Amino acid sequence: MANTRLTIVVPCYNEEEVLPKSSVVLSDILHEMMDKGQIATDSQILFVDDGSKDRTWKIIRELEEKDHCFSGLRFSRNFGHQNALVAGMTTAYKYSDAVITIDSDLQDDPHLIPEMVAKYQEGYDVVFAVRNDRSTDSAFKRNTAELFYKIMGKLGVDMVPDHADYRLLSHRALGELLKFSEHDPFLRGLVPQVGFPATKLYYKRAPRAAGESKYPLKKMVKFALDGITSNSVTPLKALAVVGAGVTAIGGIIGIVDLIKLCLGFNETLLNGVMVSLWILGGINLMGLGVVGTYVGKVFTESKNRPRYIIQEDDYTPQFNQNNKN
Ligand code: UDP
Ligand code: MG
């Protein structure tokens, strides 16, 4: 299937340190696949510059000059990793038989790409790349990730454990995924919902090739909360259960208090009032916060603002100029 036109989508945010290296690794793999006739010669590596403030866009431009397999998409500002992936996939969709998404820092082994394409050519629509060894991640990251997958499982969200956003999607699977038009998308929760024949390939997670993580704790927490609140209403239901439980406990305390008063152990009914006031106040506020988060989601969706704004697109014109589609 040498006519498989592949686009590799690579989100980049302030990645000037790692791009010179990862671009070479990725293009070597792409050219080798072209030379072997595994993919079409107009396959592309599409960098999505998510509003970088460093030289990232300049580097992408230089790469485009050097080799036509590179192209870039530039956001008007930072819209976040998931939106960068959506933008890259949306742009690539029309001109690609298969799309692979991979981070720019070489933490996800790019040498898996030929195997992923081979799986696609065997007939799979979705190929999940799964980390079977995260020893290079910090213990904190490993433990929090494990806890997150556990919670998601308990909340009934169908996810592939230890799979991030390194995956291949066929044209038709991607077409369906892009119909999920929600804001703050949580792709790893959405892809399993698309269905189609899927398979997994395993790799060892490497340390970052250069530069620092662009996912500080704050972004990680937002990402995890988005993942939960975009895919599960269990926290809302759990609130009702907590409310019922607290009411029952309050009732029991009240009855015990009353009995004690009748038997002469207490002088008033004020026992435990302070404690229950604080506890109930806390639970009330927490509940409001959870409901508020969901209401906020509805608010964001109803405004229907653009998920990203593209300032420059160097990918699409190539195909239009050559009338390749
Ligand atoms: N990234 C992005 N926008 C952001 C943050 C990150 O496009 O706002 C990109 C980043 O350049 C990288 C990928 O998303 O290619 C994953 O980020 P990173 O490697 O920093 O995350 P980690 O591997 O530490 O979870
Ligand atoms: Mg990384």
Side-chain angles (χ1 to χ4, degrees), residues 19-318:
L19 264 190
K21 190 167 175 196
S22 47
S23 57
V24 173
V25 175
L26 286 171
S27 66
D28 281 354
I29 293 170
L30 198 79
H31 282 299
E32 207 182 309
M33 291 165 75
M34 287 177 189
D35 294 345
K36 283 186 183 158
Q38 194 187 7
I39 55 170
T41 49
D42 52 359
S43 295
Q44 288 280 303
I45 296 169
L46 171 59
F47 294 110
V48 183
D49 179 1
D50 183 11
S52 298
K53 291 180 185 71
D54 64 359
R55 292 179 57 256
T56 298
W57 182 248
K58 200 164 174 284
I59 295 170
I60 295 171
R61 270 294 170 70
E62 284 164 13
L63 289 167
E64 286 175 359
E65 295 288 313
K66 247 194 274 171
D67 188 333
H68 292 309
C69 82
F70 293 117
S71 46
L73 197 65
R74 185 187 199 186
F75 278 178
S76 60
R77 64 167 171 85
N78 181 246
F79 283 90
H81 180 208
Q82 298 290 295
N83 286 322
L85 288 172
V86 171
M89 292 191 297
T90 306
T91 309
Y93 173 63
K94 194 172 165 198
Y95 305 101
S96 312
D97 300 305
V99 169
I100 290 179
T101 47
I102 185 169
D103 289 351
S104 55
D105 56 6
L106 301 178
Q107 281 197 280
D108 304 315
D109 184 5
H111 295 99
L112 212 63
I113 291 174
E115 248 182 281
M116 294 168 91
V117 175
K119 287 286 177 201
Y120 159 75
Q121 290 168 340
E122 269 174 39
Y124 289 103
D125 285 273
V126 183
V127 185
F128 296 105
V130 179
R131 298 167 278 204
N132 59 2
D133 182 346
R134 301 185 60 151
S135 51
T136 52
D137 275 345
S138 70
F140 177 72
K141 190 136 195 164
R142 267 203 319 271
N143 291 332
T144 47
E146 199 176 313
L147 180 71
F148 177 60
Y149 288 117
K150 261 197 199 141
I151 293 175
M152 291 302 268
K154 289 258 182 300
L155 295 179
V157 183
D158 188 12
M159 269 173 67
V160 179
D162 283 325
H163 158 73
D165 286 306
Y166 184 20
R167 70 177 80 83
L168 177 145
L169 291 169
S170 69
H171 185 81
R172 67 172 180 171
L174 179 55
E176 297 307 320
L177 176 70
L178 294 177
K179 288 182 191 164
F180 291 74
S181 57
E182 59 208 61
H183 289 76
D184 296 322
F186 182 71
L187 290 167
R188 59 192 87 168
L190 295 180
V191 175
Q193 292 189 37
V194 172
F196 292 120
T199 187
K200 292 176 200 162
L201 288 176
Y202 294 88
Y203 68 98
K204 183 178 188 296
R205 179 133 161 119
R208 233 174 192 279
E212 302 209 323
S213 171
K214 307 298 179 292
Y215 259 99
L217 187 62
K218 200 173 141 206
K219 264 191 188 174
M220 257 168 68
V221 171
K222 179 186 180 303
F223 185 57
L225 286 180
D226 267 345
I228 294 170
T229 51
S230 298
N231 292 287
S232 169
V233 289
T234 309
L236 286 175
K237 292 181 188 159
L239 268 182
V241 177
V242 172
V246 170
T247 311
I249 293 169
I252 293 168
I253 294 175
I255 290 168
V256 171
D257 227 20
L258 196 65
I259 294 172
K260 279 181 167 175
L261 183 73
C262 293
L263 297 177
F265 291 114
N266 283 359
E267 284 185 3
T268 64
L269 270 178
L270 282 174
N271 262 2
V273 165
M274 273 308 282
V275 178
S276 45
L277 216 76
W278 279 90
I279 292 178
L280 283 179
I283 292 177
N284 258 329
L285 276 181
M286 212 175 68
L288 263 180
V290 176
V291 176
T293 309
Y294 283 92
V295 174
K297 288 239 146 189
V298 177
F299 177 62
T300 313
E301 290 296 335
S302 67
K303 278 188 296 186
N304 203 19
R305 290 186 178 167
R307 291 191 283 177
Y308 51 80
I309 295 168
I310 295 173
Q311 186 175 327
E312 274 165 88
D313 174 5
D314 294 342
Y315 177 90
T316 312
Q318 301 188 65

